[in-house]
Amino acid sequence: MSAAPSVGEVQQSTPSEEVWNFPLVLLAVKVGSALAAGCTVVIKPAEQTPLTALHFASICASAGIPSGVVNVVTGLGATAGAALANHMDVDKISFTGSTDVGRLIMKASADSNLKKVTLELGGKSPCIVFSDANVDHAVKMAHFALFFNSGQACSAASRCFVQEDIYDEFVAKAAQRANEKIVGDPFNPKTENGPQIDAIQHKKILELIESGKGEGARLVAGGGSKEGKGFFIEPTVFADVTDHMRIAREEIFGPVQQIMKFRSVEEVIQRANDSNFALAASVFTKDINKALTIANSIKSGIVWINCHHVFRTQAPFGGCKESGMGREYAEEGIREYCEIKTVTVKIPQKNS
Ligand SMILES: *[C@@H]1O[C@H](CO)[C@@H](O)[C@H](O)[C@H]1NC(C)=O
């Protein structure tokens, strides 16, 4: 671990991270930003994906990054993660993971050296489809927005609001798309949906699917576990979901799409905004004024118009409310690893 105070202009920091759904991409973003800001890093990968981080570190070494600059500590969150979060010489933690663990990290910071913390946590992102949108395109995009990476994405569109005039058509097409999805071995190039990461997630997703059935949502595709060598879940679509069902409020992190019906712009703004999470939102419409009204009205770190899951190096990414704090990517992402130092020089006066 290397986090001695720096001598240069840039404060040295030490991020740690715990990401399993996109282990390589998020390593690149976090480590890239930290190194650009002049920091050394200690990576604490998620216990589900240690090999990616170890291989990444070996590539850093062979690329000539000096020893001690990029470090990896594998282990469990409760031990290795907690040791970093509580460490007095770690200046910053950048964490991607669950909201519950995000809270623990902030507490550890408060109880130790008040290290800076950026958190990229859960989401329950709305995808709003107006009746003037191209329905086939919207069905395809809403499907991708939720089912991408087997539903294991913090910005997954897990609340899909569809305007009443096209609702029935949208639901039928969304169910058809889910039923056609090829589930299986992720090493088969034809596969569109692989297994979930582990037994814990698999069980949690199935439990939420059961809660959806129990609370009266209309199951139009999937709805259970799928046979196979792995933790497979059938691509699942619920229609007629209402705002207070658990599947409309809790992050599922699996291939389970919730479709809700709405009437007016005012109504959908209020409902889409009514969430403890505020990571991302998307809107599908041909009317740019409607799209910008939604973008301005909903509290959300990111708003996508006629697209979803678009990540670019120039575009800051991060959330509000219980989706976290701070931004990654772009200049803002690099600034998260810097401290501002004010140096004031007194100009000599005649009499002093
Ligand atoms: C959205 O929710 C936030 C609270 O999270 C609130 O401050 C804001 O007024 C809401 N916006 C609308 C348009 O209701």
Side-chain angles (χ1 to χ4, degrees), residues 189-269:
K190 291 214 173 77
T191 295
E192 297 176 296
N193 199 93
Q196 309 311 124
I197 184 86
D198 60 17
I200 296 172
Q201 290 292 321
H202 187 252
K203 186 166 165 241
K204 179 193 141 187
I205 295 163
L206 289 174
E207 197 266 316
L208 276 159
I209 290 176
E210 289 312 310
S211 85
K213 294 176 188 168
E215 289 189 281
R218 180 160 58 97
L219 184 68
V220 294
S225 184
K226 193 174 159 75
E227 285 301 300
K229 201 171 152 236
F231 300 107
F232 295 102
I233 303 257
E234 292 174 329
T236 297
V237 180
F238 280 112
D240 304 349
V241 174
T242 58
D243 297 351
H244 296 287
M245 291 178 182
R246 283 183 60 206
I247 53 171
R249 305 213 67 83
E250 296 178 26
E251 185 173 50
I252 301 175
F253 228 64
V256 186
Q257 184 177 35
Q258 284 59 241
I259 307 180
M260 291 95 140
K261 190 194 283 190
F262 76 92
R263 280 213 171 122
S264 68
V265 177
E266 295 70 31
E267 175 201 336
V268 80
I269 287 173

Side-chain angles (χ1 to χ4, degrees), residues 266 269-278 293-294 296-300 320-321:
E266 295 70 31
I269 287 173
Q270 204 270 322
R271 291 173 60 195
N273 192 43
D274 176 21
S275 171
N276 293 343
F277 295 112
T293 301
I294 297 285
N296 284 339
S297 309
I298 294 179
K299 188 154 185 173
S300 179
C320 316
K321 299 188 192 171

Side-chain angles (χ1 to χ4, degrees), residues 97-278:
S98 69
T99 296
D100 287 346
V101 175
R103 289 185 211 281
L104 293 175
I105 288 174
M106 279 201 87
K107 277 193 195 127
S109 164
D111 289 341
S112 56
N113 62 345
L114 292 174
K115 56 181 69 61
K116 280 175 70 163
V117 173
T118 55
L119 302 172
E120 212 275 88
L121 309 174
K124 196 72 193 172
S125 299
C127 160
I128 299 167
V129 182
F130 284 99
S131 53
D132 66 0
N134 176 320
V135 178
D136 290 331
H137 173 72
V139 167
K140 211 171 108 188
M141 289 306 302
H143 178 90
F144 165 71
L146 184 281
F147 290 92
F148 172 55
N149 206 35
S150 306
Q152 303 170 135
C154 51
S155 48
S158 51
R159 292 184 297 147
C160 184
F161 292 93
V162 180
Q163 203 162 20
E164 56 183 357
D165 330 32
I166 58 164
Y167 181 80
D168 292 338
E169 181 189 356
F170 187 99
V171 168
K173 288 180 169 169
Q176 189 191 348
R177 178 68 193 92
N179 281 324
E180 286 166 4
K181 204 163 184 74
I182 302 167
V183 181
D185 180 354
F187 292 105
N188 179 346
K190 291 214 173 77
T191 295
E192 297 176 296
N193 199 93
Q196 309 311 124
I197 184 86
D198 60 17
I200 296 172
Q201 290 292 321
H202 187 252
K203 186 166 165 241
K204 179 193 141 187
I205 295 163
L206 289 174
E207 197 266 316
L208 276 159
I209 290 176
E210 289 312 310
S211 85
K213 294 176 188 168
E215 289 189 281
R218 180 160 58 97
L219 184 68
V220 294
S225 184
K226 193 174 159 75
E227 285 301 300
K229 201 171 152 236
F231 300 107
F232 295 102
I233 303 257
E234 292 174 329
T236 297
V237 180
F238 280 112
D240 304 349
V241 174
T242 58
D243 297 351
H244 296 287
M245 291 178 182
R246 283 183 60 206
I247 53 171
R249 305 213 67 83
E250 296 178 26
E251 185 173 50
I252 301 175
F253 228 64
V256 186
Q257 184 177 35
Q258 284 59 241
I259 307 180
M260 291 95 140
K261 190 194 283 190
F262 76 92
R263 280 213 171 122
S264 68
V265 177
E266 295 70 31
E267 175 201 336
V268 80
I269 287 173
Q270 204 270 322
R271 291 173 60 195
N273 192 43
D274 176 21
S275 171
N276 293 343
F277 295 112

